[in-house]
Amino acid sequence: MRSPAGPWLPLGGVSEAARLSLFCFHHAGGGASAFKEWRRLMPREIDVLPVQLPGREERIDEPACRSMPALIAELLEAMAPCLDRPFALFGHSFGAAVAFELTRQLRRKPSHLFVSSWVPVDVSAGAVRPTRLTDPDFIARIGHYGGLPEAVTNDREMMSALIKPMRADVEILETYRPEAPVRLACPTTLLGGEDDPVVRPELLERWASHVHASVPVLLPGGHFYFRRSLPVLIDLVVSTLRPVLSAMSH
């Protein structure tokens, strides 16, 4: 049985049968459906809760957030009723920035943080702002990440629906600056693709001054590596969270 789910959790609320919640945050322009397959592959004791931000999929008619402080404030309020048991956060790319900042501001910290395919703010600061580009140039820039099939980029109607939330998410990253340098005490796993053309393995290692984490785990593939390595990634997440579940049994 699941508790009622609001717009932030479109694939279902918290399952009473599970013992740990795994909140998942999607990439720029993406949606909660990116994690739909995770729910099928994850054991029942771990409740996969993909978070849906405004302005996409079921929330397409809502205005998208355009600043990290505004987004985090809304997330803190929306997630509060779901944090009465151990939980972990997984964020991919843009979603990793959201998960990182959320971890900074949550009073009750997650049992584990998974940072996937994103670089620390001090590395990305100063880059040319993609949101200042024209739509064609913006799409070309985003295309370097490899997340948009050619059939999608060639479909004007589909791209017109995607580009607004994508620009909003990228604007959040462009303007995001943590209030003060901080090193999270929360255990963290760094993840990335072996062939990621943007978030290269050496950039992931720059996280050492921000989180307590071991050497980054690299899986086959590019920026969206888990699309071809999902079972391997699920096994890794489960094995990482297993000690948390075991501690709950004692």
Side-chain angles (χ1 to χ4, degrees):
M1 182 176 179
R2 289 182 174 271
S3 64
W8 294 91
L9 301 176
L11 299 188
V14 176
S15 169
E16 296 177 3
R19 296 192 295 149
L20 181 145
S21 299
L22 176 63
F23 294 93
C24 299
F25 297 87
H26 53 72
H27 58 281
S33 61
F35 297 99
K36 189 174 183 179
E37 186 70 3
W38 289 48
R39 292 161 68 88
R40 184 182 69 81
L41 296 174
M42 198 71 71
R44 289 185 60 193
E45 56 193 345
I46 299 176
D47 200 4
V48 177
L49 298 172
V51 177
Q52 187 76 289
L53 304 190
R56 64 214 74 212
E57 297 184 349
E58 298 88 351
R59 307 185 69 180
I60 189 67
D61 293 329
E62 300 179 43
C65 288
R66 293 185 175 275
S67 78
M68 187 68 82
L71 177 57
I72 295 300
E74 291 193 41
L75 282 170
L76 290 172
E77 181 179 357
M79 292 173 60
C82 306
L83 303 182
D84 56 352
R85 70 181 183 192
F87 65 96
L89 304 180
F90 181 100
H92 178 72
S93 197
F94 159 74
V98 175
F100 173 74
E101 182 60 25
L102 191 60
T103 299
R104 290 182 71 243
Q105 298 199 33
L106 280 167
R107 291 185 177 180
R108 182 182 180 185
K109 301 303 182 185
S111 299
H112 205 91
L113 170 65
F114 296 90
V115 171
S116 171
S117 298
W118 186 62
V119 297
V121 170
D122 57 356
V123 175
S124 57
V128 175
R129 293 189 170 188
T131 53
R132 294 179 178 176
L133 301 174
T134 63
D135 281 358
D137 288 342
F138 178 81
I139 293 169
R141 173 71 68 87
I142 297 300
H144 294 160
Y145 290 82
L148 293 173
E150 189 174 344
V152 174
T153 57
N154 290 336
D155 188 317
R156 289 188 177 182
E157 185 176 347
M158 193 173 295
M159 282 307 303
S160 65
L162 285 175
I163 200 163
K164 286 185 178 180
M166 197 177 296
R167 278 188 176 276
D169 293 346
V170 172
E171 184 176 335
I172 288 176
L173 290 180
E174 287 177 345
T175 57
Y176 170 49
R177 299 293 179 268
E179 291 182 4
V182 64
R183 193 171 193 227
L184 298 182
C186 170
T188 303
T189 297
L190 304 175
L191 299 155
E194 292 176 344
D195 304 314
D196 191 330
V198 182
V199 184
R200 302 182 304 278
E202 62 269 24
L203 292 180
L204 284 173
E205 293 175 2
R206 295 282 293 274
W207 276 102
S209 61
H210 296 270
V211 297
H212 289 276
S214 57
V215 175
V217 178
L218 301 177
L219 298 177
H223 191 71
F224 291 88
Y225 64 90
F226 61 79
R227 290 179 178 172
R228 59 181 287 193
S229 305
L230 185 55
V232 176
L233 177 58
I234 294 293
D235 287 345
L236 187 153
V237 170
V238 172
S239 62
T240 301
L241 297 177
R242 188 67 67 189
V244 178
L245 294 168
S246 298
M248 294 167 60
S249 302
H250 297 90

